[in-house]
Amino acid sequence: MSEHSKNLNFNTLTIHGGQKPDAAYGSVMPPIYQTSTYAQTEPGGHKGFEYSRSGNPTRTALENSIAAIEGGNYGMAFGSGLAAIDAVIKMLKPGDEVVSTNDLYGGTYRLFRTIFEPLGIKFHFMAMEDADSIAEMVNERTRLIWVETPTNPMMNINDIERISGIARKHNALLVVDNTFATPYLQRPLDMGADIVMHSATKYLGGHSDVVLGLLAVKDKALADKLYYIQNSSGAVCGPMDSFLVLRGIKTLHVRMQRHCENGREIAHFLKNHPKVDKVYWPGFEDHPNHAIAKKQMKDFGGMISFTVKSGTLAETVKVVSKLRVFTLAESLGGVESLAGHPASMTHASIPKEEREKTGVVDSLIRLSVGIEDIDDLKNDLDQALNA
Ligand code: P1T
């Protein structure tokens, strides 16, 4: 990150963090350097870029931005969130172990269980709301603690600072998937995490038009290891996608402000709705981890899960299918409101018994509350629930 970014506040960092006008013509946005390679005057005689898997100026601009907004020193961009996770786990060797939250994105679970476990890396999945209980799962082979907070989709909150203390004590790295919160709400590196990871497909991109993953770290040696994997495995993103996420990040703070406002209204609306049973949103005072959320988050975000009262699978599917302003779709974090049915969509790759233990039951609906007019969103939910 450039020196001048270090003194700027978050709402300035989203726009200027790690950025400078392009050297060639002063272009304020970085050009989309749609090139695979760069001319050399003699072998090794280049201007810092030699091949676009190893580095591309548009991607570098995005990597500097994520480092700046997460309070890190180094950023790395990948072709998807899962590609970024894949790069982190590739730092491990057979015999190494990972302790992970048991409530997490279904695709992350699938990557851990079906790609890396057969290669000899062991994963332990557990609830981490009681941070002290994590120490019982950690042993001398534990290399990594993997945390989502808020978790997808149950909106559990895990105490990043306390978990980072446990990781440090056992010489393990703490990775926080910050996709749901974004650095607008919480900055894990400031709380002791070693790596922060994003599906930038979500809030950072913000417009549901790109799939991309990001990592940010403070430590140079760790950055070097991850950069080596990024370049050697090659799961990088292209310049156009880098540009789109960089553009999205510039409005992150204003979008998040409205996501939080609308999220708060919808959470209370659902809590008072006769057709709704439980509402999972960390802003409620009776949310089991509300105190941790208040401590480590600036606000409570736009992600909400809820169960339909006496909701069978058929009734729940009917509710999500009747929505008209909310779109029934995978993903989250865009300006438009989305609804999903985790059990059959985003979390279908987790065995039924395991997902039901964490609360991902057939009557569960997950909302990504967008930034539309709040009355239109409430009316839409009301008509679908009453249909
Ligand atoms: O989809 P991709 O960009 O590869 O990111 C994967 C990912 C990682 N971490 C979290 C917390 C996520 O939510 C995701 C992707 N999630 C969805 C597509 C979803 O609808 O939940």
Side-chain angles (χ1 to χ4, degrees):
M1 182 174 44
S2 64
E3 266 316 303
H4 92 280
S5 296
K6 294 223 186 293
N7 303 319
L8 300 174
N9 292 313
F10 187 78
N11 294 353
T12 311
L13 282 180
T14 55
I15 297 165
H16 298 290
Q19 307 302 304
K20 52 182 187 302
D22 186 63
Y25 297 108
S27 137
V28 168
M29 278 302 280
I32 301 161
Y33 281 99
Q34 193 71 51
T35 186
S36 61
T37 193
Y38 307 81
Q40 306 192 14
T41 50
E42 57 187 340
H46 56 74
K47 298 177 177 173
F49 295 92
E50 43 193 331
Y51 185 61
S52 279
R53 170 166 34 73
S54 313
N56 172 287
T58 319
R59 196 177 90 213
T60 299
L62 171 63
E63 293 174 333
N64 290 341
S65 171
I66 189 65
I69 64 175
E70 282 289 5
N73 295 315
Y74 307 94
M76 273 139 282
F78 296 84
S80 69
L82 282 176
I85 300 172
D86 181 87
V88 173
I89 305 299
K90 278 185 177 151
M91 292 195 300
L92 308 185
K93 291 188 287 302
D96 288 348
E97 298 192 6
V98 177
V99 179
S100 166
T101 39
N102 60 352
D103 184 45
L104 78 170
Y105 172 55
T108 308
Y109 177 90
R110 181 177 55 197
L111 176 65
F112 289 172
R113 268 272 197 264
T114 70
I115 304 290
F116 283 112
E117 211 150 76
L119 297 177
I121 296 163
K122 192 162 179 188
F123 294 86
H124 303 274
F125 295 91
M126 65 177 296
M128 292 191 181
E129 294 97 271
D130 171 15
D132 290 335
S133 63
I134 299 170
E136 292 161 27
M137 276 288 189
V138 174
N139 61 44
E140 68 282 0
R141 292 180 299 280
T142 307
R143 296 285 170 269
L144 219 82
I145 301 183
W146 189 277
V147 173
E148 279 188 17
T149 182
T151 59
N152 180 359
M154 296 312 297
M155 308 301 296
N156 295 315
I157 304 295
N158 297 305
D159 190 328
I160 297 171
E161 200 168 4
R162 288 197 53 204
I163 300 174
S164 81
I166 294 163
R168 208 169 310 118
K169 195 168 147 204
H170 292 89
N171 280 323
L173 295 175
L174 171 61
V175 190
V176 175
D177 181 335
N178 206 24
T179 300
F180 270 34
T182 83
Y184 173 82
L185 294 177
Q186 76 192 7
R187 297 217 310 185
L189 298 178
D190 293 346
M191 292 180 250
D194 299 285
I195 302 175
V196 57
M197 174 264 147
H198 280 277
S199 169
T201 314
K202 312 299 187 300
Y203 287 105
L204 298 186
H207 297 75
S208 305
D209 51 11
V210 60
V211 172
L212 194 144
L214 292 170
L215 300 176
V217 304
K218 284 192 168 168
D219 181 63
K220 166 99 169 66
L222 188 53
D224 286 346
K225 268 192 204 168
L226 290 166
Y227 173 71
Y228 185 84
I229 294 168
Q230 183 196 37
N231 186 39
S232 303
S233 285
V236 294
C237 52
M240 179 69 198
D241 290 353
S242 302
F243 176 89
L244 286 172
V245 173
L246 192 56
R247 183 162 84 155
I249 288 174
K250 286 174 193 284
T251 56
L252 176 68
H253 50 299
V254 273
R255 286 184 288 107
M256 285 308 290
Q257 194 177 344
R258 182 63 69 83
H259 282 296
C260 291
E261 284 166 21
N262 281 359
R264 174 175 279 103
E265 290 251 352
I266 295 294
H268 286 95
F269 166 82
L270 290 170
K271 200 166 197 179
N272 295 318
H273 199 286
K275 298 281 171 64
V276 170
D277 188 15
K278 296 196 183 81
V279 184
Y280 302 94
W281 178 68
F284 290 131
E285 280 184 14
D286 61 359
H287 181 286
N289 324 120
H290 177 68
I292 308 169
K294 250 177 102 170
K295 181 182 79 164
Q296 71 187 17
M297 298 171 77
K298 178 188 165 101
D299 204 337
F300 305 107
M303 294 302 298
I304 302 168
S305 294
F306 69 98
T307 52
V308 178
K309 203 167 261 180
S310 62
T312 58
L313 177 61
E315 274 175 60
T316 310
V317 165
K318 197 169 106 188
V319 173
V320 288
S321 308
K322 288 276 177 198
L323 290 164
R324 291 294 168 260
V325 181
F326 280 81
T327 303
L328 175 61
E330 307 240 354
S331 206
L332 59 110
V335 290
E336 64 287 289
S337 292
L338 300 183
H341 182 246
S344 63
M345 296 168 70
T346 46
H347 292 70
S349 51
I350 304 181
K352 188 175 164 73
E353 321 77 69
E354 271 187 60
R355 67 172 158 76
E356 290 200 335
K357 263 189 253 164
T358 64
V360 185
V361 292
D362 287 346
S363 60
L364 189 79
I365 293 174
R366 189 191 73 184
L367 300 180
S368 171
V369 179
I371 63 171
E372 300 96 331
D373 183 274
I374 188 64
D375 291 330
D376 290 335
L377 297 181
K378 283 187 198 167
N379 289 340
D380 191 37
L381 287 166
D382 196 43
Q383 65 77 24
L385 283 161
N386 290 323

